[in-house]
């Protein structure tokens, strides 16, 4: 099934100037980029985006990190896009990520792990709607 997923190139990767490399990985893996923009989230916006994690001990650090600098948000589309993106991202902790994955190549730690990707169809719909209006999506 053709799916859409939300990707975020996190502040660490934008700062390291590897966002072009990461976008290249998406394109060479057959994703269509339906929408893309660079934004700098406020702490409150990061809290709202990650509200499912609000009870976790790392929530404050996560929201501080995600609002520490600009990010690039994209809507990616392809067959089984949600799992396909999670596969090329690699494990949450770069130390556990497979060779060749984005987090293995560009992640430094579980906090600074280069990319976000939706983890389910439900979260993809919510996360896409969080950042993009219908008018911003290329059909
Ligand atoms: P993923 O980004 O792989 O979907 P989660 O949704 O579980 O992972 O967590 C969201 C983000 O919170 C992770 O990408 C990571 O940056 C951070 N995080 C997750 N678990 C931890 C942890 N145990 N310690 C510190 N940060 C964490
Ligand atoms: Mg997640």
């Amino acid at each position: 099934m053709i799916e859409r997923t939300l990707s975020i190139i996190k502040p660490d990767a934008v700062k390291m100037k590897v966002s072009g490399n990461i976008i290249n990985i998406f394109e060479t893996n057959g994703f269509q980029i339906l929408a893309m923009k660079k934004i700098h989230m406020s702490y409150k916006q990061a809290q709202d985006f990650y509200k499912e994690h609000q009870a976790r001990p790392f929530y404050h650090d996560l929201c501080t990190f995600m609002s520490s600098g600009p990010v690039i948000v994209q809507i990616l589309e392809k067959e089984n896009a949600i799992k396909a993106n999670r596969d090329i991202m690699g494990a949450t902790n770069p130390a556990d990520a497979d060779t060749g994955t984005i987090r293995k190549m560009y992640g430094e730690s579980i906090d600074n792990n280069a990319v976000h990707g939706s983890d389910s169809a439900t979260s993809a719909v919510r996360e896409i709607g969080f950042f993009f209006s219908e008018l911003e999506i290329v059909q």
Side-chain angles (χ1 to χ4, degrees), residues 5-130:
T5 190
L6 183 91
S7 163
I8 306 177
I9 303 177
K10 294 186 176 184
D12 55 334
V14 173
K15 234 167 254 159
M16 285 193 305
K17 301 195 185 292
V18 295
S19 46
N21 300 18
I22 293 172
I23 292 166
N24 186 48
I25 292 169
F26 295 141
E27 291 191 322
T28 55
N29 279 275
F31 288 92
Q32 296 291 334
I33 300 169
L34 302 190
M36 171 161 62
K37 60 188 173 189
K38 190 178 212 175
I39 58 165
H40 188 155
M41 275 188 272
S42 67
Y43 182 78
K44 274 195 84 127
Q45 286 170 323
Q47 279 185 308
D48 193 11
F49 180 73
Y50 277 114
K51 64 183 176 205
E52 62 171 320
H53 292 313
Q54 61 192 351
R56 306 283 201 92
F58 58 81
Y59 182 60
H60 169 72
D61 287 348
L62 173 62
C63 297
T64 300
F65 168 63
M66 290 301 288
S67 57
S68 69
V71 300
I72 293 170
V73 286
Q74 291 169 276
I75 303 172
L76 305 177
E77 184 178 83
K78 74 176 257 183
E79 185 78 16
N80 298 321
I82 296 163
K83 182 175 186 302
N85 183 38
R86 297 291 306 195
D87 287 347
I88 63 168
M89 285 166 59
T92 304
N93 188 345
D96 302 329
D98 290 337
T99 304
T101 60
I102 295 170
R103 282 169 164 170
K104 187 60 148 195
M105 287 189 276
Y106 302 120
E108 278 189 344
S109 65
I110 195 164
D111 305 279
N112 290 19
N113 61 4
V115 281
H116 165 86
S118 307
D119 66 2
S120 67
T122 306
S123 58
V125 168
R126 183 185 87 85
E127 293 176 359
I128 287 168
F130 186 91

